[in-house]
């Protein structure tokens, strides 16, 4: 891993690209989602500011490869977790707090085979 330090000269461009790549890392259909519904540009800028090494003379955030990877991992985790919460809100998955793990856990909702109210998949209009 390189110790090279980089100044982010276009923070909005950097975070927009980082957010898009993180979403694509999770789902090949990410282009169909409004990423602001998962993590906003402002939240992304906050991630950069909280993970940067400092600032240069022009107050631009400084990052190395390790910090870049941390920001990417945190972004991916946030997008993934919001996606799971959206599925739980739509009653597609179930969730509960696990005290032992100290985190929220999710699982696929089981529908009894004799349940006539099974959700039907919506077809996209072409």
């Amino acid at each position: 891993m390189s110790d090279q330090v980089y100044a982010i000269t276009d923070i909005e461009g950097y975070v927009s690209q980082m957010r898009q790549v993180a979403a694509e890392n999770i789902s090949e259909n990410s282009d169909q989602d409004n990423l602001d519904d998962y993590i906003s540009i402002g939240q992304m800028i906050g991630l950069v500011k909280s993970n940067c090494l400092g600032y240069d003379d022009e107050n631009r955030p400084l990052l190395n490869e390790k910090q870049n990877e941390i920001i990417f991992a945190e972004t991916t985790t946030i997008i993934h977790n919001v996606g799971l919460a959206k599925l739980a809100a739509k009653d597609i998955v179930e969730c509960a707090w696990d005290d032992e793990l100290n985190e929220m856990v999710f699982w696929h909702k089981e529908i009894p085979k004799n349940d006539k109210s099974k959700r039907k998949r919506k077809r996209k209009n072409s």
Side-chain angles (χ1 to χ4, degrees), residues 7 12 16 23-24 31 36 47 57 62 70 76 79-80 89 97 109 120:
E12 287 198 17
S16 292
E24 289 169 0
D31 59 334
D36 284 333
L47 278 177
D57 294 341
L62 300 172
I70 289 170
T76 303
I79 293 170
H80 181 261
W97 184 259
K109 184 174 180 155
K120 294 184 180 178

Side-chain angles (χ1 to χ4, degrees), residues 106-122:
F106 296 84
W107 62 95
H108 192 289
K109 184 174 180 155
E110 292 184 31
I111 301 173
K113 291 184 181 194
N114 61 354
D115 186 350
K116 302 291 185 202
S117 66
K118 288 185 183 179
R119 286 182 308 276
K120 294 184 180 178
R121 291 184 181 221
K122 293 181 182 176

